[in-house]
Amino acid sequence: AFTDYPADRYGLILWDHGGAWVGGYGSDSQNGTDEAPTAMAVPALAAAVRDALAAAGVTGVDGAPPLEFLAFDTCLMGGAEVASELANLSAVYIANAEIDYGDGWDYEATMTLLSEQPDITATAFGVAEVEHWNQHHAEASSSDVLLRAHIAIDTAKLPAFIEAHAAVAQAWLADPAAAALDVARGAFFSLPAYSSTVEQVAPEPSLRDAGQFLDRLAALPDGALADAARDARAALDDMTLGVSLGQLRAESQTGLHLELSPASQLSDERLAAYADRAKEWNDATAWGDFLAEMTAQSDTEGPVITHEVVEAALPTISLSVEDLDVAEARVDLARPDPEDADRRILYGLVGAGVVEPGAVYDFTWSGERLVLGDGAGGTQDAYVFSWMDLGADGDGELVSPVLAVLGVFTSADGEPAQGVLLFQDGDATATLAVVLEPSPVTFLLSQVAMADPTATFTPLVPVVSLSSGEVQAVQGTPITIPADGIPLETAVAEPGTYALLTKARDIWGNDTL
């Protein structure tokens, strides 16, 4: 292409699939290609592009990179590890830190700009492309609205960020035990993690936001680590030309991800792969050593919960965790099945919060639980659980997670499909839903009601056997889906015996129930 269509300046867009440092680029299996394709590791990709540019005679002038911009119209290539490997190939690097939910680049707007302004600088082009991409994705899908992440980087300033981030690793590795808990806690609460959609939350939250993590380290008591984190965050801001972020990310995240797997997931195999597939970044920053040391400082035991029932007007448990690595606790509600003493009916989440080691927390259940309005003055039981965690805010308070109610959707012309209603704490109605089978799809309830006024949602409430562990789902009564969403109400629980189930998690990813 460069030989047949010579130009004064060149840009390269790589399109299709991307999987961050771990997954590499490519792996298309359509149109008769290999049924089990292997993606290109990023170092191999960088070498291939570098060799191809040399073969085409495309070289930078006066030491400048050969390309004006290098961009990925793919998922997950907006990471520190990937950008570092490719930085010397272009003046501007453009990629998504998150999954690309389908709309990709706005080629019409961006290429029209390029044809109308052929002398535009690379950095100005990067700024404009992000603006076009943002307009293209802002309302393209529910995942875009909430979770999108797209960034343009001035690669001339990337070396300063790499050097500053190396100082962060060095500052901690000089005395890892002194701040191990603070570092791991900063990683744990850097959420939501990347590689997620509204339909499918990342099962392994390994890719965390680099800026958010640095902010948490910078907030530590003054010292070498906090100072290095502040410098690295400033360098990150300085190299960022533009960024587009979803509503769940915009306040605290920067749109550049970084490998920060929980210690429980950092196997020797993953660390070895990191050294090989994130070579430039790892060699320059010693981030693999940083991750390995996090694993060395961790444990595999869940927190020990101490709790007791407190005599009070309302059901109250007093709980504490002495473990210094505790992160958070959640309380679920259950009750014995009136018809079978061996079974427990699960109503789900009634409280959650950040836990400080040694602090005593009195959790009082109000005696109310969430129910769904049926549109006819009645209510239906519901099972509530956390769908997506959003971490803790700057004051250490747990941000209201995205919550879900389990159920079954049925339309007049379709088979029943299991799914969930999504909402956040304090919402009066649920307007967003996900069908889980046969493949996850997000939709607005208003669209469902408009397309099929007879469509229904039937809540499912799990019932577990204490003796066998078997879980069954009890169906409620179908609720006709209204255009303005399904009402979320609270109802006083009927008299009886209830259980509050406490679950604690530590910063290494270990749980205790």
Side-chain angles (χ1 to χ4, degrees):
F2 289 177
T3 302
D4 292 346
Y5 300 93
D8 295 325
R9 298 186 296 163
Y10 296 93
L12 175 64
I13 302 170
L14 296 171
W15 174 89
D16 209 354
H17 296 297
W21 72 265
V22 66
Y25 168 74
S27 74
D28 185 7
S29 59
Q30 295 174 312
N31 307 111
T33 54
D34 193 329
E35 292 184 2
T38 301
M40 296 179 73
V42 179
L45 171 67
V49 173
R50 191 175 295 112
D51 291 348
L53 291 174
V58 178
T59 59
V61 178
D62 297 328
L67 298 172
E68 294 292 288
F69 66 88
L70 173 61
F72 284 93
D73 192 0
T74 72
C75 300
L76 297 175
M77 301 301 269
E81 295 90 350
V82 181
S84 298
E85 203 75 40
L86 299 160
N88 60 3
L89 293 174
S90 65
V92 170
Y93 180 77
I94 303 172
N96 301 314
E98 186 48 275
I99 291 173
D100 189 345
Y101 300 116
D103 280 30
W105 269 43
D106 187 337
Y107 286 100
E108 182 176 359
T110 303
M111 295 306 165
T112 297
L113 169 74
L114 199 55
S115 67
E116 292 175 347
Q117 300 182 40
D119 294 328
I120 190 172
T121 65
T123 53
F125 174 78
V127 171
E129 191 283 327
V130 172
E131 292 175 350
H132 293 153
W133 193 96
N134 185 63
Q135 294 173 12
H136 198 48
H137 283 258
E139 298 181 359
S141 71
S142 299
S143 292
D144 278 301
V145 169
L146 298 176
L147 295 169
R148 71 183 184 277
H150 182 77
I151 191 171
I153 293 171
D154 182 348
T155 60
K157 298 179 178 180
L158 180 58
F161 172 68
I162 295 172
E163 182 178 356
H165 209 94
V168 172
Q170 292 165 7
W172 184 58
L173 289 171
D175 188 8
L181 298 177
D182 292 322
V183 169
R185 187 168 281 106
F188 180 89
F189 285 118
S190 293
L191 292 169
Y194 291 97
S195 193
S196 294
T197 67
V198 171
E199 298 90 350
Q200 292 180 309
V201 180
E204 294 185 1
S206 60
L207 303 176
R208 310 294 180 113
D209 192 87
Q212 188 182 27
F213 177 63
L214 291 171
D215 281 345
R216 294 189 178 279
L217 297 188
L220 298 176
D222 286 342
L225 181 58
D227 291 344
R230 280 190 285 270
D231 291 344
R233 176 58 198 264
L236 172 54
D237 290 341
D238 190 42
M239 74 178 188
T240 301
L241 296 170
V243 64
S244 173
L245 295 169
Q247 294 175 4
L248 297 182
R249 302 190 182 281
E251 289 189 7
S252 60
Q253 300 201 335
T254 56
L256 183 75
H257 67 228
L258 177 68
E259 170 65 27
L260 276 171
S261 292
S264 59
Q265 298 170 9
L266 281 171
S267 64
D268 290 342
E269 290 77 12
R270 188 173 183 89
L271 290 170
Y274 192 78
D276 180 54
R277 300 175 75 91
K279 182 172 175 52
E280 286 288 335
W281 171 263
N282 186 50
D283 288 351
T285 65
W287 201 246
D289 294 339
F290 186 101
L291 297 171
E293 187 59 41
M294 279 186 64
T295 304
Q297 294 289 332
S298 70
D299 61 49
T300 58
E301 301 295 326
V304 177
I305 308 169
T306 301
H307 59 86
E308 62 178 346
V309 177
V310 177
E311 292 294 335
L314 291 172
T316 301
I317 55 172
S318 180
L319 65 95
S320 64
V321 178
E322 296 296 328
D323 301 62
L324 296 179
D325 58 6
V326 66
E328 64 179 21
R330 300 169 187 267
V331 181
D332 280 19
L333 178 67
R335 68 172 300 193
D337 186 340
E339 299 179 359
D340 188 341
D342 180 56
R343 304 202 309 171
R344 295 292 182 268
I345 303 170
L346 305 182
Y347 297 121
L349 189 67
V350 291
V354 174
V355 173
E356 296 293 336
V360 177
Y361 299 89
D362 288 340
F363 176 80
T364 298
W365 176 44
S366 65
E368 298 179 333
R369 55 189 177 85
L370 186 135
V371 294
L372 304 181
D374 63 8
T379 60
Q380 292 284 317
D381 290 342
Y383 172 69
V384 183
F385 61 101
S386 177
W387 183 256
M388 181 184 299
D389 291 331
L390 306 183
D393 61 21
D395 297 324
E397 296 295 324
L398 197 66
V399 179
S400 296
V402 177
L403 302 172
V405 169
L406 186 65
V408 174
F409 294 94
T410 306
S411 61
D413 56 353
E415 294 292 327
Q418 185 170 318
V420 293
L421 303 175
L422 298 183
F423 64 98
Q424 283 191 269
D425 189 27
D427 288 351
T429 57
T431 60
L432 191 66
V434 176
V435 166
L436 301 177
E437 297 177 355
S439 61
V441 177
T442 304
F443 55 86
L444 293 171
L445 295 185
S446 57
Q447 297 171 337
V448 176
M450 185 179 300
D452 181 4
T454 67
T456 62
F457 176 77
T458 304
L460 296 176
V461 176
V463 178
V464 60
S465 167
L466 298 181
S467 59
S468 68
E470 180 184 2
V471 179
Q472 295 180 327
V474 176
Q475 292 195 7
T477 302
I479 299 171
T480 300
I481 298 175
D484 54 356
I486 293 179
L488 302 170
E489 304 178 12
T490 54
V492 175
E494 57 269 26
T497 300
Y498 290 82
L500 296 176
L501 310 177
T502 304
K503 180 179 182 180
R505 172 168 289 183
D506 66 23
I507 54 180
W508 316 114
N510 304 310
D511 294 326
T512 300
L513 180 63

